[in-house]
Amino acid sequence: MIVTIRPFEKTDIPKKVEWINNPENNQFLHYDIPISIEKTELWFESHRGQNNRYDAVIEDDGKPVGTIGLLSIDQINQKAEYYIAMGEVAYKGKGVAKEASRLILEYGFNVLKLNRIYLYTESENVAAQKLFEKVGFIKEGLIRSDIISHGKYVDRYVYGVLKEEWIK
């Protein structure tokens, strides 16, 4: 298993659409499902060339298996929001997400020179919380009734990791 991440490209759109529309993947994702190739192409074009986000594809031995990235990259305050979505169900629980997370944190701290990387996750998403804690994120608090997902208010945890904590 050789896990790598690379920039998301237009040719990755059909896979992203397939992954997000898969009910085994989208319980905790916040998309207007089903998503379409056409809308995803518009999203891709509208974000092309922006420096406030980094969208990447996770590959295992060269096979695309999910997406990962940093949103709301804020160079002034040296922080960004992390996200991950494993697309290929067979690759979940195999350490791929953990290694991809390590790679994106390395990119954020060493290349983008960030000081803090944070994320939000639904309180019910226990599997994701285990991953986040394994890679060094610290649960910082609970935001009650933070968003509406699938027609109901959901609580979300905020997690964060500082560069100095991650380097250790």
Side-chain angles (χ1 to χ4, degrees):
M1 170 178 86
I2 299 173
V3 177
T4 55
I5 60 173
R6 61 159 175 83
F8 187 92
E9 299 168 0
K10 192 170 186 173
T11 55
D12 296 312
I13 290 173
K15 266 291 176 207
K16 178 179 179 164
V17 169
E18 173 191 323
W19 293 334
I20 290 171
N21 286 337
N22 181 345
E24 291 186 67
N25 293 333
N26 63 29
Q27 179 184 3
F28 297 109
L29 299 180
H30 304 118
Y31 288 90
D32 189 10
I33 294 168
I35 66 168
S36 68
I37 288 179
E38 296 74 28
K39 280 187 179 177
T40 306
E41 285 174 346
L42 289 172
W43 162 83
F44 180 81
E45 292 302 329
S46 72
H47 290 90
R48 189 189 292 247
Q50 291 184 357
N51 61 0
N52 65 341
R53 64 184 297 142
Y54 177 72
D55 297 290
V57 172
I58 303 166
E59 292 186 337
D60 185 10
D61 293 330
K63 176 185 168 73
V65 297
T67 58
I68 194 167
L70 298 170
L71 306 172
S72 304
I73 297 171
D74 177 346
Q75 291 294 351
I76 293 169
N77 295 297
Q78 299 176 321
K79 65 180 184 172
E81 180 181 349
Y82 156 107
Y83 77 88
I84 186 169
M86 287 297 293
E88 297 294 333
V89 176
Y91 287 78
K92 292 182 179 184
K94 306 267 194 265
V96 175
K98 181 180 175 187
E99 178 60 14
S101 296
R102 188 190 66 73
L103 291 169
I104 199 75
L105 289 171
E106 187 174 275
Y107 179 80
F109 290 130
N110 296 335
V111 177
L112 298 179
K113 306 294 186 207
L114 300 175
N115 179 59
R116 170 179 162 75
I117 297 175
Y118 61 93
L119 65 91
Y120 301 96
T121 187
E122 292 184 16
S123 60
E124 296 176 6
N125 195 350
V126 177
Q129 292 164 34
K130 288 178 182 174
L131 165 68
F132 305 145
E133 290 167 11
K134 277 183 195 168
V135 297
F137 283 96
I138 295 167
K139 189 183 290 183
E140 298 176 335
L142 175 70
I143 308 168
R144 298 174 303 141
S145 294
D146 187 41
I147 59 171
I148 296 175
S149 181
H150 304 282
K152 64 178 178 132
Y153 286 106
V154 294
D155 297 343
R156 293 198 305 173
Y157 288 116
V158 60
Y159 278 79
V161 62
L162 303 178
K163 183 175 185 173
E164 65 192 39
E165 297 164 339
W166 187 78
I167 287 173
K168 294 176 186 177

